[in-house]
């Protein structure tokens, strides 16, 4: 116990902390400028000077550690004079342009000068000049205002770990700069902007449109871009979002956001926003009234149900919509229409992977806290770059590395490049062999615990690759040994599983192997999720085989429970998955499809085939905020509200239920309606009697129906208590076996002459939404084909030149971008830009065991386009 | 006094191992290798050696702290940054007696159980780099460096790390950052380098001259050593004497030799027999003295009593032709240029003071400038992150305190008191 | 030897490759006479250090040059001792004789002039370094002689 006296107050401390922190505990706020909670102390600004008895000089409280018996004074005349002179020094080179500065009103320097003076500076010489830099599309840099606190640099290095900026120069000629001196070319998280105490670096998006006093209201919500679910505050003026910012005190993201969350929101105010319902009349989509549209949909669905039965109807739910929206869609399709044909793009990888892993290890196996990753001593990453797919989760992996954790990535490490001890780069599609080898090595070193007999039985018959088998993988047995031994040495490890390892033939084997590794080294598993609410989609029962709360449809006991609660009936058999629905649509078995907030024509491979299949339907209803590719071929299009326009909840990948709050209305009152509301309206036409007035009514029903969510009210959610397992009961003791494809053999890895087309999962984009975000587009404006220099040389294709890529599915012409981190034998294309989606040139099938999408026939011819 | 640090440097081949061995080189090392590390540290402590880099910290105590830390590896760094204007005392050792330094470092490494060392050499000494690297090569070739030194199973590796023009990198924590490949800015202390230094490991930073004293201590023993010069801070000391003297140069004299002796007996007196106007005793960062201070013994104890410091022992002598406003301005230009920029008072204050001095010197001084300068200097003093800022403030305060008339003259007459016709305000 | 390899080899001397950054920058600078963006990129990739970090370090130290330099670099000290002994008039002299401004380069690309802080030769002031050679006790008379040796 350490006792110190600060301004006459006694403070007792468990652990040694800085004088600044100790003072804070005693309720004494010492002024600071270079200090920022969470960043390594710097001690440069000299504002936080205090007097300490027995020490001759003033001390910086942000760096001085408390010691027992210390007596500190924080506001004496001497200290005030020192602060005044520090501020006077700072104003020497700081322009007096507060009236033009967007920071005015929330500027630390302004506030400090107001408090400590000087009233008038005595500096009468020339100020340092440095023109404002507008070279970057996102960040405006005004180095005349910089006070060199280095908070931005420490943020970028210590927390974002992007190392994109640095102080350059020396003394009073120091400036903060990105490498180029102009454009940042960084991860654009904007976290440096958060910490700048003055107006030296500011977002260009908000230039002159944001002033602190413009903010009329602040809405606390969660980001709608990915499965991490960062907390953020939307600052509103009239009906516009003027800024999205994090709050250090709110949410597990602790004041950090990624580029999408911070700058991507503009899509909701895009011109392209749908305004009224559209209906196809004479082959063309025409504006109609809500009444007209809803009556039509209800009538057609009834007709189809009457003629072909409920099973001829299906629905696609949305990882972008709230739990409430998804729940309502599920209820409508399952209990009103009488069909279990409900699924979502979570089927691409997230849902089947989770279901499969849960079948092996039990429900909740992937429910782990993101914030725990930073404290783990090792991370295995397979199947995607977490720093791009789930950026804030990715930062946790960087943090683990920074505190000495080992990070092992199988495949291109992407944004983890600086954070891996060595690279394990297998040849395309040989990961299964590598993982088997790792499991083999782990098994050698460790006796089985007997805890999970099913897993262990399978492990016994697993074929372990010989050194010879390893040859095709391009990874040496020594590398396997090293990686496995590193894994075995971890005490608090994490396995992160990304989409690319699941979207594979024999995905069950890959997942089993990853699960086995986690089992053997006692790791926690994380599944990456590109959408904010894939987990919620699953929890709400938007799966052909599971009811809300993760209860299997086919188990009568569970079905009856829910049926009783609702007073409605659901079909007994499992329904069709997303891909089965597409197949059935192709062959005529499925007649109507209701698509909510999803764009299958763009987000599922083999677009041409999907388009043909959906074209076969008798009724295609699409509910969305933009006229997507899929909406473009629909019979009816319903305008929905976007993420900041509605109330509800998302469940993130760690299974934290969080509140989404309404910050704005659609541009006009008659514009979009909430997804759940539209569906409830239609359901009413079918005679559903339950009335929902507010979104809370929907959530109450969810609490009632889902055993998982029992007793979890909105208030609990707002308190941040809604982390798995919720107060409801998880499903336990689901004993049973599981199957694994090809346990006793190894895949045949073939060399392809043509490169494989892989999906670039970019940090700056997230499919169809981000292509309407001006800021994100300014960073990554157009599609390109990413290739490595070896291929570029072979094809004579230089950066910026045009390449033609083609296969039997189509042809695209794209600019080339070189990146030495693209593995040999691969080319990358994102699935973002209209007409240039990677999915269009990729074929697919579905895995027989887990039912996920598996990508195939994705080799392409790449040639130079001669002009 | 018999020379030890600069022994034999008149010999054109003094830097070679062969010549060094001929005059008894590496004998101390052989002796030290027979000794227990702890005994060497005790000897250095007993000798009362104080660091020659400027601060005068007792070397034995520093070593003791470092040896108590249980973390390994430990790094031994020789500070050969010698950036303090007026200072060139380490240079003859580096260029002409490199093996003395290497010998001192190997003994120190043995005492400190360090197996890896660097000589942080300022970028402005390219010739010293060549000499040192050659000497290191010779030492490796003859087994005075390597894994098994002199066949005694002691290992020590040494290389030269060249700075690149940053005075602040002479400050030991900035120096460590610079070796680690960073912007050389001082670090927060504690932790001190002896516990958390280079790459987070215990690190001992000593000045060239300090390390060059070690072989002498080992060879003659603490007792005899402590009898050289002022007993409170004994030993031979190198003084670099420059500016207005007849024979500028480096003089090896006992610690505590008076300024008068140094200037008049050794450096030949003020050039052309002119009048002595002022002396900076320890490099530009130490406050200036008036002629009545020259009987002060040059050591860590007596100079502070006269309001200055021994610093690097760089004696800068100014005669009556020198404009001290201009000297003060030039010194401030140096501090502004060398301020690392980490802390506000030094980063902003040095430039501000330089601005004002430049005006005064140029004949544009204003009433109140002197008070403003003093006020700025006092606002810096004691509030900077490292001593560089304090030094800058101290210089201004020292000049103003002792030569305010000259500043006043500049301001009121808008011209220089010394070169009366050379300055005129437009 | 390619500078890439030379830089890699340097890392041996340090427990952490970043330690080799200062010497690596010297190597790159020697290669081209100054540190261009490309040179910094090369250093950054050879040492696997972030580019911005490398730039931050390279711009901290005054002996790294960020503009092309003349074939020979005159580093003339004007600090106190040299100033007293006449360094300022040498600066004027170089301006007159070669049209060489502090921080500038002669039109023919032969010399660049950089003003230095004390270079540790105060006893033989004024002093300068031309490339890596020391010259001291300079006067208007001998400085030309000395410089004429540098083509
Ligand atoms: C601004 C500044 C510059 C310094 N420059 C040098 C220097 O050039 N050489 C040196 O040996 N010590 C220099 N020092 C002192 C070192 O920080 C350190 O005290 C010294 O190297 C320790 O060695 P010693 O104990 O042997 O003197 C400097 C200190 C400061 C604050
Ligand atoms: S936006 Fe993010 S990545 Fe870019 S400089 Fe700022 S902190 Fe670094
Ligand atoms: S840009 Fe802002 S955060 Fe960065 S150093 Fe300058 S004042 Fe501090
Ligand atoms: S990590 Fe995901 S949730 Fe967080 S800000 Fe980025 S996109 Fe939004
Ligand atoms: S006093 Fe401050 S700015 Fe000056 S050199 Fe020291 S740390 Fe840097
Ligand atoms: S807040 Fe402590 S020095 Fe800046
Ligand atoms: S002042 Fe010029 S060399 Fe020292």
């Amino acid at each position: 116990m350490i006792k110190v006296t600060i301004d006459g107050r006694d403070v007792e401390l468990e652990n040694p902390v800085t004088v600044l922190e100790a003072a804070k505990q005693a309720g004494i706020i010492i002024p600071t400028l270079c200090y920022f909670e969470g960043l390594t102390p710097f001690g440069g600004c000299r504002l936080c000077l205090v007097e300490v008895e027995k020490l001759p000089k003033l001390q910086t409280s942000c760096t001085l550690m408390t010691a027992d018996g210390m007596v500190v004074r924080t506001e004496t005349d001497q200290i005030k004079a020192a602060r005044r002179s520090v501020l006077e020094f700072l104003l020497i080179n700081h322009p007096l342009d507060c009236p033009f500065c967007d920071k005015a009103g929330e500027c630390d320097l302004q506030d400090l000068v107001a408090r400590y003076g000087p009233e008038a500076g005595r500096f009468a010489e020339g100020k340092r000049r440095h023109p404002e830099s507008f070279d970057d599309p996102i960040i405006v840099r005004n180095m005349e205002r910089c006070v060199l606190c280095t908070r931005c640099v420490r943020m970028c290095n210590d927390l974002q770990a992007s190392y994109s900026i640095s102080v350059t120069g020396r003394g009073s000629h120091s400036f903060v700069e990105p490498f180029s001196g102009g454009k940042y070319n960084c991860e654009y998280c904007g976290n440096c902007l958060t910490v700048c105490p003055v107006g030296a670096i500011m977002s260009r998006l908000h230039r002159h449109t944001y002033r602190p006093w413009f903010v009329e209201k602040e809405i606390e919500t969660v980001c709608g871009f990915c499965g991490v679910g960062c907390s953020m505050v939307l600052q509103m003026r009239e009906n516009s979002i003027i800024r999205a910012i994090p709050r250090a005190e709110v949410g597990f993201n602790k004041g950090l956001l990624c580029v999408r969350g911070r700058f991507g929101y503009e899509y909701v105010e895009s011109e392209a926003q749908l305004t009224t319902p559209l209906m196809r009349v004479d082959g063309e989509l025409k504006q109609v009234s809500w009444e007209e549209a809803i009556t039509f949909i209800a009538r057609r669905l009834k007709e189809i149900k009457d003629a072909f039965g409920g099973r001829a109807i299906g629905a696609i739910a949305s990882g972008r919509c709230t739990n409430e929206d998804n729940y309502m869609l599920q209820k409508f399709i399952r209990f009103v229409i009488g069909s279990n044909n409900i699924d979502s793009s979570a089927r691409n990888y997230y849902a089947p992977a989770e279901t499969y892993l849960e079948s092996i290890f039990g429900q909740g196996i992937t429910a782990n806290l993101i914030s725990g990753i930073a404290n783990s001593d090792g991370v295995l990453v397979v199947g995607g770059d977490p720093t791009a797919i789930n950026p804030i989760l990715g930062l946790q992996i960087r943090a683990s590395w920074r505190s000495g954790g080992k990070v092992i990535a199988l495949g291109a490490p992407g944004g983890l490049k600086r954070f891996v001890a060595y690279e394990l780069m297998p040849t395309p599609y040989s990961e299964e062999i590598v993982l088997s080898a790792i499991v083999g090595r782990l098994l050698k070193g460790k006796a089985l615990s007997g805890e999970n007999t099913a897993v262990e039985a399978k492990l016994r018959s697993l074929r372990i690759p010989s050194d010879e088998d390893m040859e095709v993988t391009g990874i040496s047995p020594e590398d396997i040994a090293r990686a496995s031994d590193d894994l075995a040495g971890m005490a608090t490890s994490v396995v992160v599983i990304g989409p690319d390892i699941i979207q594979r033939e024999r995905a069950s084997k890959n997942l089993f192997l990853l699960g086995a590794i986690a089992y053997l080294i006692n790791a926690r598993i994380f599944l990456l999720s590109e959408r904010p609410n894939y987990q919620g989609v699953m929890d709400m029962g938007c799966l052909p085989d599971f009811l809300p709360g993760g209860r299997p449809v086919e188990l009568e006991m569970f079905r009856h429970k829910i049926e009783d609660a609702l007073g409605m009936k659901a079909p007994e058999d499992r329904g069709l998955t997303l891909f089965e629905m597409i197949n059935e649509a192709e062959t005529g078995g499925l007649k109507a499809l209701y698509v909510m907030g999803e764009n299958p024509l763009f987000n599922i491979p083999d677009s041409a085939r999907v388009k043909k299949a959906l074209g076969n339907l008798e009724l295609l209803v699409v509910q969305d905020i933009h006229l997507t590719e899929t909406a473009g071929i629909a019979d009816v299009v319903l305008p929905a509200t976007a993420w900041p326009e509605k109330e509800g909840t998302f469940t993130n990948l760690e299974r934290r239920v969080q509140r989404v709050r309404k910050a704005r209305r659609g541009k006009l009152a008659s514009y979009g309606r909430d997804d759940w509301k539209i569906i409830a309206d239609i359901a009413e036409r079918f005679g559903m009697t339950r009335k929902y007035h507010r979104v809370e009514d929907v959530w109450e029903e969810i609490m009632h129906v889902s055993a998982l969510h029992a007793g979890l009210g909105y208030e609990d959610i707002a308190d941040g208590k809604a982390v798995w397992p919720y107060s409801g009961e998880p499903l336990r003791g689901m004993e049973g076996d599981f199957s694994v494809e090809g346990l006793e053999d190894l895949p045949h890895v073939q060399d392809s002459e043509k490169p494989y087309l892989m999906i670039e999962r970019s940090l700056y984009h997230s499919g169809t939404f981000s292509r309407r975000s001006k800021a994100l587009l300014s960073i990554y404006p157009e599609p390109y084909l990413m290739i490595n220099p070896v291929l570029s040389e072979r094809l004579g294709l230089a950066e910026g030149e045009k390449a033609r890529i083609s296969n039997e599915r189509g042809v695209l012409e794209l600019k080339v971008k070189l990146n030495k981190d693209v593995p040999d034998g691969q080319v990358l294309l994102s699935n973002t830009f209209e007409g240039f989606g990677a999915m269009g040139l990729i074929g697919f099938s579905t895995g027989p065991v887990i039912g996920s999408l598996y990508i195939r026939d994705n080799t392409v011819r790449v040639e130079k386009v001669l002009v | 006094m018999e020379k030890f640090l600069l022994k034999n440097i008149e010999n054109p081949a003094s830097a070679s191992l062969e010549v060094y061995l001929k005059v008894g080189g590496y004998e101390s090392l052989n002796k030290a290798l027979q000794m227990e590390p702890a005994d060497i540290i005790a000897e250095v402590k007993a000798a009362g050696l104080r660091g020659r880099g400027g601060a005068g910290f007792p070397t034995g105590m520093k070593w003791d702290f470092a040896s108590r830390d249980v973390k390994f590896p430990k790094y031994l760094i020789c500070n050969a940054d010698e950036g303090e204007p007026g200072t060139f005392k380490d240079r003859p050792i580096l260029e002409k007696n490199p093996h003395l330094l290497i010998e001192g470092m190997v003994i120190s490494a043995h005492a400190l159980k360090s197996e890896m060392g660097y000589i942080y050499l300022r970028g402005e000494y390219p010739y010293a780099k060549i000499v040192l690297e050659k000497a290191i090569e010779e030492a490796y070739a003859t087994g005075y460096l390597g894994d098994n030194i002199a066949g005694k199973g002691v290992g020590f590796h040494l290389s030269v790390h060249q700075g690149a023009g940053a005075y602040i990198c002479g400050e030991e924590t900035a120096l460590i950052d610079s070796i680690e490949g960073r912007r050389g800015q001082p670090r927060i202390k504690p932790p001190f380098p002896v516990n958390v230094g280079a790459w987070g490991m215990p690190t001992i930073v000593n000045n060239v001259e300090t390390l060059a004293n070690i072989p002498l201590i080992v060879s003659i023993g603490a007792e005899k050593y402590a009898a050289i010069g002022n007993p409170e801070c004994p030993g031979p000391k190198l003084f670099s004497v420059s500016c207005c003297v007849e024979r500028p140069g480096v003089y090896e004299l006992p610690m505590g030799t008076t300024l008068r002796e140094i200037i008049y007996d050794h450096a030949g007196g003020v050039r052309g027999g002119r009048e002595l106007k002022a002396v900076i005793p320890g490099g530009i960062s130490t406050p200036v003295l008036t002629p009545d201070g020259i009987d002060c013994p040059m050591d860590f104890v007596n100079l502070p009593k006269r309001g200055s410091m021994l610093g690097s022992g760089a004696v800068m002598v100014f005669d009556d032709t020198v404009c001290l406003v201009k000297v003060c301005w030039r010194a401030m230009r140096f501090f502004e240029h060398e301020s690392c920029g980490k802390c506000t008072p030094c980063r902003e204050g040095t430039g501000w003071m330089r601005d004002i001095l430049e005006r005064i010197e140029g004949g544009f001084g204003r009433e109140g400038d002197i008070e403003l300068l003093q006020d700025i200097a006092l606002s810096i003093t004691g509030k900077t992150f490292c001593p560089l800022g304090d030094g800058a403030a101290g210089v201004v305060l020292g000049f103003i305190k002792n030569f305010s008339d000259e500043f006043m003259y500049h301001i009121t007459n808008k011209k220089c008191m010394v070169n009366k016709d050379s300055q005129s305000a437009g | 030897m390619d500078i890439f390899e030379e830089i890699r080899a340097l890392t041996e001397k340090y427990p952490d490759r970043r330690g080799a950054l200062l010497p690596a920058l010297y190597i790159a600078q020697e290669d081209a006479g100054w540190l261009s963006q490309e040179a910094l990129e090369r250093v950054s990739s050879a040492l696997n250090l972030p580019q911005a970090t490398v730039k931050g370090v390279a711009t901290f130290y005054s002996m790294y040059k960020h503009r092309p330099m003349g074939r020979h670099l005159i580093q003339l000290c004007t600090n106190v001792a040299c100033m007293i002994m006449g360094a300022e008039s040498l600066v004027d002299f170089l301006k007159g004789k070669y049209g060489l401004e502090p921080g500038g380069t002669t039109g023919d690309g032969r010399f660049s002039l950089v003003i230095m802080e004390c270079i540790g030769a105060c006893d033989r002031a004024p002093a300068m370094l031309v490339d890596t050679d020391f010259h001291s006790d300079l006067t208007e008379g001998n400085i030309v002689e000395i410089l004429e040796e540098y083509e």
Side-chain angles (χ1 to χ4, degrees), chain B residues 86, chain C residues 77-82 118-122 125 127:
Chain C
C77 173
T78 65
N79 206 305
V80 174
C82 290
C118 178
I119 56 176
C122 325

Side-chain angles (χ1 to χ4, degrees), chain A residues 223-489:
Chain A
C223 172
F225 269 104
C226 90
V228 173
C230 296
S231 296
M232 57 160 67
V233 170
L234 297 178
Q235 296 182 313
M236 307 298 298
R237 181 188 204 191
E238 289 172 5
N239 200 28
S240 275
I241 302 175
I242 52 176
R243 221 166 52 155
I245 53 165
R247 280 273 151 79
E249 328 72 68
V250 186
F252 58 87
N253 50 311
K254 298 215 177 84
L256 303 178
L257 288 179
C258 81
V259 57
R260 300 195 293 260
R262 189 185 296 267
F263 298 120
Y265 58 80
E266 284 166 305
Y267 73 87
V268 302
E269 290 177 33
S270 133
E271 291 301 311
Q273 189 98 293
L274 283 169
T275 55
T276 58
L278 304 172
M279 239 165 81
R280 193 165 299 279
V281 184
D282 302 330
E284 260 180 64
L285 287 172
K286 296 257 160 63
Q287 299 199 343
V288 294
S289 70
W290 275 103
E291 182 53 34
E292 229 175 313
I294 284 180
T295 313
F296 174 79
I297 295 166
R299 179 171 57 79
R300 289 294 290 131
L301 284 174
K302 265 190 207 134
E303 287 168 5
I304 292 167
K305 183 179 172 183
D306 290 347
F308 306 100
R311 284 173 177 79
I313 299 173
I316 299 181
S318 172
R320 290 205 192 277
C321 288
T322 61
N323 286 325
E324 292 77 357
D325 296 332
N326 282 300
Y327 171 79
M328 193 58 79
L329 181 64
Q330 176 269 162
K331 180 175 180 188
F332 175 57
I333 290 298
R334 193 164 260 148
F335 293 93
V336 177
I337 300 282
S339 163
N340 276 327
N341 300 336
I342 180 161
D343 208 358
S344 71
S345 67
R347 178 67 46 196
N348 276 353
Y349 57 91
Y350 189 83
E354 180 174 311
T355 307
Y356 183 68
L357 288 169
E358 291 193 339
S359 74
I360 304 175
F361 298 107
Q363 197 177 7
I365 182 69
T366 63
N368 295 298
L369 294 184
I370 290 172
S371 55
I373 300 175
N375 304 324
S376 62
D377 66 354
V379 184
L380 172 66
V381 180
V382 184
D385 173 7
T387 67
I389 298 173
N390 289 131
I392 296 294
L393 182 149
L395 294 192
Q396 295 280 327
I397 301 176
R398 291 177 177 173
S400 156
W401 181 87
R402 286 176 60 89
S403 56
K406 277 218 166 72
V407 180
I408 301 173
L410 186 61
L416 291 174
K417 193 164 174 62
R418 278 182 204 298
F419 305 88
V420 291
Y422 40 85
E423 288 187 14
L424 290 179
M425 197 74 84
T427 54
Y429 297 103
S430 69
E431 290 89 344
E432 183 188 322
I433 305 177
V434 177
L435 291 172
S436 303
I438 291 177
V439 169
R441 173 96 184 181
L442 289 175
L443 284 172
K444 256 196 237 160
K446 197 176 167 215
L448 292 170
S449 66
E451 208 176 299
N452 190 324
T453 46
V455 170
E456 296 188 357
K458 295 234 166 24
L459 282 177
R460 280 188 200 96
S461 47
L462 176 73
R463 160 125 179 235
I464 309 295
S466 64
D467 289 0
E468 210 170 291
D469 295 331
M470 287 297 299
E471 271 164 28
V472 288
T473 69
I475 293 182
S476 69
E478 293 73 42
D479 283 347
I480 294 291
R482 175 167 64 169
S484 314
D485 296 350
D486 281 345
L487 286 167

Side-chain angles (χ1 to χ4, degrees), chain C residues 15-38:
Chain C
D16 178 301
R17 58 185 149 64
R18 182 164 179 172
L21 181 50
L22 264 65
L25 288 167
Y26 269 121
I27 289 175
Q29 172 155 297
E30 217 157 278
D31 193 53
W34 66 293
L35 292 171
S36 59
Q37 287 285 104
E38 292 69 39

